[in-house]
Amino acid sequence: QKEVEQDPGPLSVPEGAIVSLNCTYSNSAFQYFMWYRQYSRKGPELLMYTYSSGNKEDGRFTAQVDKSSKYISLFIRDSQPSDSATYLCAMTKSGGSYIPTFGRGTSLIVHP
Amino acid sequence: DARVTQTPRHKVTEMGQEVTMRCQPILGHNTVFWYRQTMMQGLELLAYFRNRAPLDDSGMPKDRFSAEMPDATLATLKIQPSEPRDSAVYFCASGPDSTGQYFGPGTRLTVT
């Protein structure tokens, strides 16, 4: 079992839909959680960063961490075709080397 | 707007040749990472520097790969000799410890 699991998709939704992207993890030592967006032939772009449990909102994006379930989510409201990309989750342990463990990414397609 | 820069953006070379990739991290970031991304393996960590000191290169084939950080503004990744299986996109990323990483645009390497 991998430390971080992420469904590769593709996830196809109509424009305007609420999108839910998820990752599960097995190591309870993870404390810092990140979401990256990667467009085709580009580098990953840091979208959101959260520490420990709870929610964080930034515009149309909300990151949610449930440490009791070892489950993190990224919600995208009012999805746009420009949101079509691969979304990678990543997480690091506290007090350590800060080397992140990445999920494989979920491909999202928002069609007009 | 500070960015990680990488050169070259594309490289096509023949098997057996030396390849050098360069990265300029964001000024003030104390962590630098080299990753390789392929469709099959996703993002693989090759090397990790903190305050210019190499802390982890366990993901790097030691016989042919080397990574250095001669100063705070330059990180290099060398492959000698290159092989067709090294064909991939190589990303450099920098960050301020645990709060996420900022990726460069990548070097797309093709070894024939």
Side-chain angles (χ1 to χ4, degrees), chain B residues 12-26:
Chain B
V12 179
T13 191
E14 292 183 347
M15 182 173 65
Q17 296 299 304
E18 177 177 304
V19 175
T20 298
M21 291 170 268
R22 293 177 173 81
C23 166
Q24 181 172 6
I26 293 173

Side-chain angles (χ1 to χ4, degrees), chain B residues 67-90:
Chain B
E68 294 181 346
M69 201 164 172
D71 62 62
T73 64
L74 177 65
T76 62
L77 181 67
K78 290 186 182 180
I79 308 174
Q80 169 62 23
S82 57
E83 297 181 2
R85 59 180 167 151
D86 300 329
S87 297
V89 182
Y90 291 81

Side-chain angles (χ1 to χ4, degrees), chain A residues 97-111:
Chain A
S97 62
Y98 303 115
I99 296 175
T101 301
F102 279 86
R104 290 294 304 271
T106 298
S107 174
L108 172 67
I109 301 167
V110 181
H111 50 87

Side-chain angles (χ1 to χ4, degrees), chain A residues 37-44 82 84-86 107-108, chain B residues 9 37 39 89 91 105 108:
Chain A
R37 176 176 63 195
Q38 185 173 22
Y39 291 116
S40 178
R41 304 182 77 85
K42 301 285 188 184
S82 59
S84 298
T86 297
S107 174
L108 172 67
Chain B
R9 295 292 306 278
Q37 188 176 44
M39 289 293 291
V89 182
F91 288 106
R108 187 170 297 271

Side-chain angles (χ1 to χ4, degrees), chain B:
Chain B
D1 191 20
R3 293 172 188 250
V4 175
T5 58
Q6 288 185 249
T7 56
R9 295 292 306 278
H10 302 273
K11 177 73 175 180
V12 179
T13 191
E14 292 183 347
M15 182 173 65
Q17 296 299 304
E18 177 177 304
V19 175
T20 298
M21 291 170 268
R22 293 177 173 81
C23 166
Q24 181 172 6
I26 293 173
L27 191 64
H29 284 179
N30 64 340
T31 61
V32 173
F33 300 78
W34 282 105
Y35 291 95
R36 175 171 61 187
Q37 188 176 44
T38 62
M39 289 293 291
M40 292 297 293
Q41 300 295 331
L43 266 177
E44 298 176 275
L45 177 68
L46 297 175
Y48 166 56
F49 294 83
R50 190 170 186 207
N51 296 324
R52 292 179 53 207
L55 292 190
D56 191 319
D57 60 2
S58 57
M60 198 163 66
K62 302 290 192 306
D63 56 338
R64 299 185 300 107
F65 285 61
S66 62
E68 294 181 346
M69 201 164 172
D71 62 62
T73 64
L74 177 65
T76 62
L77 181 67
K78 290 186 182 180
I79 308 174
Q80 169 62 23
S82 57
E83 297 181 2
R85 59 180 167 151
D86 300 329
S87 297
V89 182
Y90 291 81
F91 288 106
C92 174
S94 70
D97 282 340
S98 61
T99 57
Q101 303 170 340
Y102 296 83
F103 282 75
T107 294
R108 187 170 297 271
L109 175 65
T110 303
V111 183
T112 61

Side-chain angles (χ1 to χ4, degrees), chain A:
Chain A
Q1 183 192 8
K2 292 188 176 183
E3 274 195 302
V4 178
E5 298 278 0
Q6 189 174 9
D7 188 328
L11 176 62
S12 182
V13 301
E15 183 176 355
I18 297 174
V19 175
S20 172
L21 302 162
N22 311 295
C23 287
T24 58
Y25 61 96
S26 56
N27 193 330
S28 58
F30 287 129
Q31 295 281 351
Y32 301 91
F33 303 91
M34 286 75 72
W35 284 96
Y36 293 83
R37 176 176 63 195
Q38 185 173 22
Y39 291 116
S40 178
R41 304 182 77 85
K42 301 285 188 184
E45 171 193 3
L46 180 63
L47 275 180
M48 307 274 292
Y49 147 74
T50 53
Y51 171 69
S52 197
S53 286
N55 292 2
K56 186 172 185 178
E57 190 174 316
D58 184 1
R60 295 185 296 113
F61 297 89
T62 299
Q64 193 172 78
V65 175
D66 181 350
K67 292 195 71 184
S68 62
S69 302
K70 296 191 181 69
Y71 189 89
I72 68 171
S73 301
L74 178 71
F75 297 98
I76 307 175
R77 290 184 298 281
D78 187 26
S79 56
Q80 303 295 311
S82 59
D83 295 327
S84 298
T86 297
Y87 290 79
L88 301 101
C89 64
M91 44 199 80
T92 60
K93 300 165 191 171
S94 64
S97 62
Y98 303 115
I99 296 175
T101 301
F102 279 86
R104 290 294 304 271
T106 298
S107 174
L108 172 67
I109 301 167
V110 181
H111 50 87

